[in-house]
Each structure stands twice: as C-alpha cells, then as structure tokens.
Amino acid sequence: MRRADRLFQIVQYLRGGRLVTAARLAERLEVSERTIYRDIADLQSTGVPIDGEAGIGYIMRSGFDLPPLMFTRDEIVALVTGARMVKAWGGTSMMAAAEEALIKIEAVLPETERGRVGDTKIFSPSIGLAGQARELIDRCEQAIDAREIVALEYSDEDGSTTNRTVQPLGLWFWGKVWTLVGWCELRDNFRAFRLDRIAKLAPTGDRYKPAANRSLEEFSRQQREKYQKHLDNLNQEGK
C-alpha cells in the first residue's frame, strides 16, 4: 500500500469519534506500530485534528472531513466503466477491489453527482471467465509484483505441452483473452503465454533481477516496432 493511501485509511478509521489504538491500526494496515506513530504525527502536523498518544489510542475531533472529489461527467463514466470491466474480467482480488472502489467513489462524490454512478449505462458482461481463471490472474499478478520466477506447464497452439521457466513481466488483456508476458528461459527471449493454455503455474522460489533488455518496456518497444514494420509493408504493397 502506498503511504498516501495508508494516511487516507488512517483518517477513515478514526472517523466516528471512537478511540482507536495504534496496535489496532497497525493490524488493519499491516504495518508496524512505529509506522503508525510516524503517520499520526505527520497527519497532526498538517492540521488533521487527531488527539491521543502512544499506548492509549487516538481519536479525531468532530468537524473534520476530506473535501469531496470533483469529477466531471466524463471522468465519472470512465471510472465506473473501468471498475466494471475489472469486475467482469479481472482476477479475484481485482474484482473485490473494483467493487470496493465503486463504493468509495460514490461515497466521496458530492450529493449532486452520486446519481451518475448508477446512471452510467455501460456494462461488461463476464461471459466465460471462470473462478479458476480469475485465481490464475491473481497468481500471475502476485508473481509479477514479487519478481518471482515461475514454472509453467503450457499447451501450444497445436496442443503440444511444454514446460517453461518464465520471468513474469506483465499481464496483457486482449478482450476475453489474457496473456502473461515474460522472459522465457527456454527460448532465451520474450514470450506471451495465453492464460487459458496454462495447465499449471508454480513458483520456483527464485527471484530475478530487473534488466533493461528483459523489461516489459523493451517488450512493448519491440512490439511497436514490429507493428510499424507491418504497416509499412502493407503501405508498400498498396502502392
């Protein structure tokens, strides 16, 4: 969790005029009590009316509130549509986070704008995305975040099965199809693996170090270059 998000959550937990201990906040936010003490001190220094002390607990005086977020109509539509798409096509954790995000967006909007959340008539039905596929998305995302090398049992387009050791770099969504972009140690090159063809995925326990020539940015650059060459060839053939 980013520090800015953690400070926001502390303010949220202290609302309601109830005494909350640093230990309780640390447990909820999965950080140390020392971190909570520092965060509380920083919030107090910026004018947030928090009373209390270490070992006793903290309480926020009434009357303090965060200013409402001001979004344009188009921004609200974009946020709601994006959250609905993640709910429909994301992993299990992303689906839950998207639902929570929609609740928070509506909660912090001014009263006059809250109706726009429900009035957004753009939807993304999740046809064919089973729970097992959602869990695989989560596992891939966790491996990417931890830079953890994974072992795949993968079926190629012709149905043959191979075992790959992959440095996971990113997830790409193509509309119904997710691919895991990574550095394949067998091929010693970038590869994109369709998640619906991954029979097994297991962490190896090893982690890889970031390298510019094996980064997601480099993969994206190469893809753009290939696409541009394809367009150039089409233009030449059309002359």
Side-chain angles (χ1 to χ4, degrees), residues 180-199:
L180 172 65
V181 176
W183 184 267
C184 177
E185 296 187 352
L186 176 65
R187 304 301 185 191
D188 196 30
N189 207 338
F190 293 111
R191 286 292 186 273
F193 302 94
R194 287 181 51 151
L195 264 61
D196 57 353
R197 294 180 183 167
I198 296 177

Side-chain angles (χ1 to χ4, degrees), residues 4-218:
D5 295 330
R6 189 173 68 245
L7 293 175
F8 177 82
Q9 289 296 330
I10 289 174
V11 172
Q12 296 295 93
Y13 287 137
L14 291 178
R15 284 178 172 176
R18 291 172 296 181
L19 191 72
V20 183
T21 65
R24 180 59 175 159
L25 290 170
E27 179 183 357
R28 287 183 175 183
L29 297 171
E30 299 181 349
V31 295
S32 67
E33 290 185 43
R34 180 173 295 182
T35 296
I36 296 297
Y37 295 144
R38 286 199 302 265
D39 289 346
I40 292 289
D42 288 343
L43 286 169
Q44 290 171 328
S45 69
T46 61
V48 180
I50 298 175
D51 294 327
E53 58 183 275
I56 297 177
Y58 298 94
I59 190 171
M60 189 166 63
R61 297 193 299 273
S62 61
F64 177 80
D65 202 357
L66 295 174
L69 293 180
M70 298 300 293
F71 292 117
T72 66
R73 177 198 175 280
D74 289 343
E75 289 170 343
I76 294 173
V77 171
L79 288 169
V80 172
T81 302
R84 287 175 178 174
M85 291 182 69
V86 171
K87 282 179 61 180
W89 295 101
T92 303
S93 297
M94 287 190 288
M95 180 175 61
E99 178 66 31
E100 183 65 23
L102 282 173
I103 294 172
K104 288 182 178 179
I105 289 170
E106 187 171 8
V108 299
L109 286 173
E111 188 69 33
T112 56
E113 299 295 329
R114 289 180 185 174
R116 294 193 184 278
V117 174
D119 289 341
T120 300
K121 306 303 183 186
I122 303 175
F123 301 94
S124 180
S126 56
I127 300 173
L129 191 63
Q132 187 175 1
R134 291 185 184 275
E135 292 174 4
L136 183 57
I137 293 171
D138 285 346
R139 291 167 63 191
C140 288
E141 192 277 328
Q142 292 163 6
I144 292 165
D145 185 59
R147 297 197 183 100
E148 186 168 34
I149 299 173
V150 296
L152 304 182
E153 184 178 310
Y154 187 74
S155 297
D156 293 330
E157 188 174 0
D158 60 2
S160 59
T161 301
T162 59
N163 294 312
R164 308 289 187 95
T165 304
V166 177
Q167 300 175 15
L169 301 173
L171 282 166
W172 283 21
F173 181 60
W174 300 90
K176 292 190 177 182
V177 175
W178 282 92
T179 56
L180 172 65
V181 176
W183 184 267
C184 177
E185 296 187 352
L186 176 65
R187 304 301 185 191
D188 196 30
N189 207 338
F190 293 111
R191 286 292 186 273
F193 302 94
R194 287 181 51 151
L195 264 61
D196 57 353
R197 294 180 183 167
I198 296 177
K200 292 182 181 179
L201 182 147
T204 64
D206 297 325
R207 287 178 167 77
Y208 65 89
K209 294 182 179 180
N213 65 330
R214 298 184 179 185
S215 66
L216 188 62
E217 291 75 17
E218 175 61 17

Side-chain angles (χ1 to χ4, degrees), residues 172 174 218-228:
W172 283 21
W174 300 90
E218 175 61 17
F219 173 81
S220 299
R221 186 194 67 79
Q222 292 183 15
Q223 293 300 302
R224 289 193 300 269
E225 189 175 274
K226 289 179 182 178
Y227 180 67
Q228 187 59 52

